[in-house]
């Protein structure tokens, strides 16, 4: 009822209100709702929603799964998802990295997926090294938990280093701009030939159990399975292997997990295609410098028009300094339209990147203004959410 | 400026002090020089590398407490920046920059660390984190127009007699709620991100003038005026909202 109310009032996607009420009524709700279930938590800066959906699909093989598919990843969102599926034996939950320590202590998960850590909304979430230290503390103390961790990410490796049981995954993806210094001792980190190590203490890239190699998953048993994902980009291959390794920790067979992970196409509207006014627009969500960099890399080689939409509401982070951490120079030579509430900031960034562009603040109108045919639309959080809602209404 | 006439812009420890997009300041300087026909290049100096003393402009960004401590140690062990300052090089220090250029700074955990002593100032952790849009009025006729930026810092800074403030705060916190930044010789420090130079082309051109010895020709980029107008309005809205609240 209250979820419908939330949707009717336009307060969001309807994932939050029910949970907020339940938590107020019963502070132990999360603990009680997880008791007796086998729980996996997915956290990290980027890829949480996609990987959670992939893991939930794979674990479906083993039994009923409760999951917060919409990306409502704070405690009240978790309570909502869990109350909707009281009979599910499994819970696969995306958790905001800031809330993760508190949530993990309460639910004592059997599996944790730690995807990656990089700067994100510094004015709201805080600095990434602080996040790493809080994750490290709780992961070290968790009993009976398998941590599936990306060993190509220095901060993730440090956070999982002292955990009781770790499945290391070589994802081939990692943002190095926040890991020049060792998170444990402060000495320089040296990166060479896909590996890395601290120049002073013993922190270094562990030998991976799982990996991605030219589009194939390589399992801990040495099996190679072609991923054949319908979602684009190397980043999603990394997410798929993390999800498969997580499902394996629950006992799911690898080949079956990959088959199920492959079926994921639309993740809460992301990667979805919208047709309007002679345009086929693909909607891509990017929330922080590492995410934007992955998305721009994925678009390289193409020549479709690109609409870039940026807002700076509370949920996006009010500070747009991060625009300068994103290599927009890669868009040179393409048709580019700057959109969103902060189209002017974006236009200044593109001007200094020497990317020719026009400015059309309304994102739907920006799509209409592009040459007919395929259009890539990259948007940050609320710009993406608003566009998805508007595109749905317009169709 | 060097005899080969390429202006060298040193980006100091971007891997430690690049947390808030301050790399953009180096891009702005480089492009504003290049667009006027003056060749310029960005020279990144990473953690673990020696610091050259021959660059024309040094740009230092913001970073976390730990990164800042590491940066000071690295710059003490490799004193190229200090030698360049003695030679009269132009320097922009942002956020952590203002703290690590001072005599000392006291971190949030109470530990006091020596700074580089390039600016007559001391810094300490304030009672709360100052986060939000800032407006400040430039002092001493350095440049025209209001200074705009986004601040996100715990530090508070007190200037000694050899340093003078960059601007007087009208919205936000800056050094202490009253003044913002510091100027000493050809060193400019500020707490402002945004980054600061895309928001304030007048400040960028002042640094270019100091580095090249010539006042640069005007650049006509209306989008910059539009950005400044939008940000000034947004900052004024935040004060209106807080005085109501």
């Amino acid at each position: 009822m209250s979820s419908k109310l939330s949707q009717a009032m336009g307060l969001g996607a309807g994932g939050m209100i029910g949970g907020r009420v339940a938590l107020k009524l019963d502070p132990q709700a999360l603990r009680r709702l997880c008791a007796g279930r086998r729980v996996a938590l997915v956290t990290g800066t980027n890829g949480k929603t996609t990987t959670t959906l992939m893991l939930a699909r794979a674990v479906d093989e083993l039994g009923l799964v409760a999951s917060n598919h919409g990306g409502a990843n704070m405690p009240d969102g978790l309570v909502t998802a869990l109350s909707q599926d009281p009979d599910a034996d499994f819970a696969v939950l995306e958790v905001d990295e800031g809330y993760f320590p508190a949530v993990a202590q309460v639910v004592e998960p059997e599996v944790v997926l730690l995807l990656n850590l990089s700067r994100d909304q510094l004015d709201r979430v805080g600095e990434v090294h602080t996040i790493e230290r809080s994750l490290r503390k709780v992961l070290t103390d968790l009993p009976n938990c398998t941590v599936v961790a990306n060993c190509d990410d220095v901060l993730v490796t440090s956070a999982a280093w002292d955990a009781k049981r770790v499945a290391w995954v070589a994802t081939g993806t990692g943002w190095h701009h926040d890991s020049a210094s060792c998170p444990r001792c402060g000495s320089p980190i040296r990166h060479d030939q896909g590996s890395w190590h601290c120049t002073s203490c013993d922190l270094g890239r562990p030998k991976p159990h799982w990996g991605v190699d030219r589009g194939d998953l390589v399992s801990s048993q040495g099996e190679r399975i072609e991923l054949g994902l319908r979602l684009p980009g190397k980043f999603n291959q990394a997410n798929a292997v993390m999800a498969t390794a997580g499902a394996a920790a629950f006992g799911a067979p690898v080949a079956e997990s990959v088959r199920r992970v492959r079926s994921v196409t639309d993740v809460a509207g992301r990667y979805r295609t919208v047709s309007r006014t002679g345009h086929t627009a693909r909607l891509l969500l990017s929330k922080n410098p590492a995410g934007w960099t992955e998305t721009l890399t994925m678009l390289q080689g193409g020549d479709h028009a690109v609409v870039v939409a940026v807002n700076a509401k509370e949920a996006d982070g009010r500070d747009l300094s991060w625009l300068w951490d994103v290599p927009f120079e890669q868009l040179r030579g393409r048709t580019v339209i700057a959109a969103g509430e902060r189209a002017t900031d974006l236009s200044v960034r593109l001007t200094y990147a020497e990317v020719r562009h026009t400015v059309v603040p309304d994102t739907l109108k920006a799509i209409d203004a592009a040459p007919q045919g395929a259009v890539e639309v990259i948007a940050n959080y609320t710009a993406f959410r608003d566009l998805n809602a508007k595109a749905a209404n317009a169709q | 400026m060097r005899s080969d006439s390429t202006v060298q812009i040193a980006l100091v420890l971007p891997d430690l002090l690049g947390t808030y997009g301050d790399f953009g300041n180096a891009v702005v300087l480089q492009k504003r020089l290049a667009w006027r026909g003056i060749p310029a290049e960005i020279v990144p100096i990473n953690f673990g590398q020696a610091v050259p003393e021959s660059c024309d402009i040094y740009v230092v960004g913001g970073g976390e407490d730990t990164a800042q401590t590491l940066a000071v140690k690295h710059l003490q062990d490799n004193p190229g920046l200090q030698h360049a300052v003695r030679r009269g090089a132009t320097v922009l220090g942002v956020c952590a920059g203002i703290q690590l250029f001072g005599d000392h700074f006291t971190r949030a955990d109470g530990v006091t660390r020596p700074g580089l002593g390039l600016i007559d100032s001391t810094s300490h952790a304030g009672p709360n984190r100052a986060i939000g849009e800032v407006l400040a009025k430039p002092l001493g006729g350095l440049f025209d127009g209001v200074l705009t930026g986004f601040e996100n810092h715990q530090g508070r800074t007190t200037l000694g007699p050899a340093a003078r403030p960059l601007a007087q705060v009208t919205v936000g916190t800056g050094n202490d709620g009253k003044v913002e930044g510091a100027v000493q010789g050809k060193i400019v420090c500020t707490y402002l991100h945004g980054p600061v130079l895309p928001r304030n082309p007048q400040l960028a051109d002042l640094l270019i003038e100091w580095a090249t010895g010539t006042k640069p020709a005007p650049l006509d980029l209306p989008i910059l005026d539009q950005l400044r107008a939008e940000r000034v309005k947004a900052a004024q809205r935040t004060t209106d909202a807080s005085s109501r609240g």
Side-chain angles (χ1 to χ4, degrees):
Chain A
M1 193 61 198
S2 48
S3 193
K4 281 225 175 69
L5 185 69
S6 162
Q7 280 170 341
M9 291 170 68
L11 290 176
M16 297 299 277
I17 270 202
R20 200 162 281 148
V21 173
L23 262 188
K24 271 200 184 127
L25 293 176
D26 178 4
Q28 293 300 312
L30 194 55
R31 189 191 304 273
R32 187 170 46 75
L33 285 163
C34 282
R37 306 204 217 212
R38 302 178 68 185
V39 180
L41 302 182
V42 179
T43 197
T45 308
N46 286 316
K48 291 188 287 289
T49 304
T50 305
T51 309
T52 300
L53 182 56
M54 288 173 164
L55 178 60
R57 281 279 167 90
V59 175
D60 252 341
E61 169 74 8
L62 304 173
L64 275 180
V65 181
S67 186
N68 51 340
H69 288 310
N73 62 13
M74 302 197 191
D76 39 6
L78 308 184
V79 166
T80 306
L82 291 163
S83 352
Q84 277 165 357
D85 281 311
D87 300 329
D89 297 329
F90 291 86
V92 173
L93 302 170
E94 163 184 348
V95 186
D96 176 271
E97 55 274 32
Y99 284 98
F100 179 86
V103 169
Q105 267 167 357
V106 169
V107 309
E108 296 198 347
E110 185 176 335
V111 178
V112 167
L113 268 57
L114 183 50
L115 304 173
N116 48 68
L117 288 171
S118 66
R119 61 188 73 170
D120 185 15
Q121 299 182 24
L122 294 159
D123 56 327
R124 193 179 71 91
V125 180
E127 293 175 331
V128 65
H129 284 85
T130 313
I131 301 265
E132 186 273 317
R133 283 190 292 270
S134 68
L135 294 179
R136 188 197 305 176
K137 187 168 185 318
V138 71
L139 292 177
T140 303
D141 294 343
L142 274 181
N144 311 316
C145 176
T146 301
V147 180
V148 179
N150 175 4
C151 64
D152 288 325
D153 186 305
V154 175
L155 292 173
V156 163
T157 303
S158 173
W161 190 252
D162 297 320
K164 311 269 182 307
R165 207 164 41 242
V166 187
W168 296 109
V169 180
T171 63
T173 59
W175 165 264
H176 299 318
H177 300 284
D178 294 311
S179 53
S181 67
C182 176
R184 295 183 161 235
C185 77
S187 304
I189 294 282
R190 194 151 295 149
H191 294 267
D192 54 323
Q193 294 174 359
S195 190
W196 58 268
H197 64 274
C198 173
T199 49
S200 172
C201 75
D202 64 350
L203 189 73
R205 182 178 184 266
K207 194 170 172 297
H209 303 97
W210 299 75
V212 193
D213 182 36
R214 286 164 293 174
D216 291 350
L217 170 144
V218 183
S219 80
S220 54
Q221 310 300 315
E223 295 164 86
R224 281 187 87 96
I225 302 173
E226 191 192 347
L227 284 167
L229 300 183
R230 291 166 70 185
L231 295 181
K234 276 196 167 165
F235 196 69
N236 281 319
Q237 295 179 357
N239 293 337
V241 177
M242 293 290 293
T244 306
F250 273 139
V254 174
E256 181 59 23
S257 292
V258 172
R259 200 183 63 75
R260 286 169 169 273
V261 163
R262 199 179 284 149
S263 71
V264 171
T265 49
D266 178 327
V267 184
R270 302 163 198 199
Y271 310 107
R272 150 176 166 203
T273 303
V274 173
S275 297
R276 56 177 282 117
T277 58
H279 301 88
T280 312
R282 179 164 65 157
L283 311 189
L284 303 164
L285 170 69
S286 296
K287 293 190 279 199
N288 45 52
W292 280 87
T293 303
E294 291 288 349
T295 304
L296 290 175
T297 304
M298 189 185 91
L299 295 186
Q300 267 184 328
D303 59 357
H304 304 142
V306 181
V307 171
V308 184
V310 172
N311 284 358
K313 289 197 194 327
E314 188 71 33
D316 302 304
R318 298 272 183 205
D319 180 11
L320 278 187
S321 299
W322 60 266
L323 284 179
W324 295 79
D325 287 327
V326 178
F328 285 109
E329 287 79 2
Q330 291 179 14
L331 292 176
R332 279 180 200 156
R334 296 176 78 139
T335 302
V336 176
I337 304 172
E341 294 168 358
R342 298 292 289 271
T344 308
D345 294 71
L346 185 59
S347 176
V348 168
R349 171 69 186 101
L350 293 170
T351 300
Y352 278 109
E354 300 185 322
V355 174
R356 290 187 58 175
H357 64 280
T358 50
V359 179
V360 183
D362 180 309
T363 311
L364 271 189
K365 287 184 182 149
I367 294 171
D368 297 345
Q372 303 254 307
V375 182
E376 308 281 8
V377 184
I378 321 174
N380 71 342
Y381 183 64
T382 68
F384 182 87
R385 189 193 62 192
D386 296 352
L387 174 64
N388 243 320
K390 272 197 197 170
N393 287 337
Q395 276 189 335
Chain B
M1 202 159 52
R2 287 147 51 100
S3 53
D4 66 4
S5 85
T6 294
V7 177
Q8 294 204 304
I9 303 158
L11 182 60
V12 180
L13 301 176
D15 46 357
L16 287 181
L17 303 174
T19 312
Y20 299 90
D22 296 315
F23 168 69
N25 293 322
V27 173
V28 166
L29 291 170
Q30 195 254 330
K31 292 297 175 196
R32 295 182 75 82
L33 282 157
W35 290 339
R36 286 152 166 146
I38 304 166
E41 65 179 1
I42 297 173
V43 183
I45 300 156
N46 289 310
F47 187 38
Q49 289 178 355
V51 182
E53 54 185 273
S54 58
C55 293
D56 303 288
I57 309 180
Y58 290 77
V59 178
V60 184
E64 304 178 35
D65 272 359
T66 321
Q68 194 178 319
T69 308
L70 295 169
V72 170
K73 184 170 184 310
H74 186 76
L75 295 174
Q76 281 166 339
D77 295 347
N78 302 269
L81 173 63
Q82 295 87 313
H83 293 162
V85 167
R86 249 168 259 138
R87 192 173 48 70
T90 299
V91 181
L92 173 67
V94 175
C95 200
I98 194 169
Q99 298 169 22
L100 63 87
F101 287 174
D103 296 321
H104 62 261
F105 57 95
T106 306
R107 305 192 317 193
D109 58 11
V111 178
T112 295
R113 300 274 176 172
L116 298 178
L118 297 173
I119 286 266
D120 185 8
S121 72
T122 59
S123 299
H124 65 278
N128 58 328
R129 213 169 166 84
I131 301 177
E133 292 283 342
V134 177
L135 291 181
K137 199 171 157 292
L139 293 170
L142 272 179
F143 53 89
D144 296 331
V146 67
L147 187 70
T148 149
F150 192 97
E151 65 182 340
N152 181 359
H153 58 102
Q154 185 95 35
R156 301 294 187 270
T157 296
T158 309
L159 302 182
R164 59 184 205 273
L166 175 65
Q168 188 180 352
V169 173
T170 53
V171 176
T173 301
N175 296 0
D176 56 3
K178 296 187 198 79
V179 295
E180 153 53 30
V183 183
Q184 187 168 337
K186 286 190 193 169
I187 305 176
V188 171
C189 289
T190 175
Y191 271 111
L192 302 188
H193 303 288
V196 67
L197 295 188
R199 293 263 196 117
N200 300 282
Q202 351 69 295
L203 177 56
D205 286 351
L206 176 71
L207 298 174
I208 287 173
E209 183 181 340
W210 284 355
T212 61
T214 315
K215 197 174 176 64
L219 275 180
D220 186 27
L221 289 166
I223 192 71
L224 300 186
D225 301 327
Q226 193 184 328
L227 176 66
R228 289 173 56 73
E230 282 183 19
R231 293 297 94 215
V232 167
K233 222 165 135 190
Q236 284 163 346
R237 266 202 311 272
T238 59
T239 37
D240 291 351
S242 57
S243 57
R244 271 201 307 272

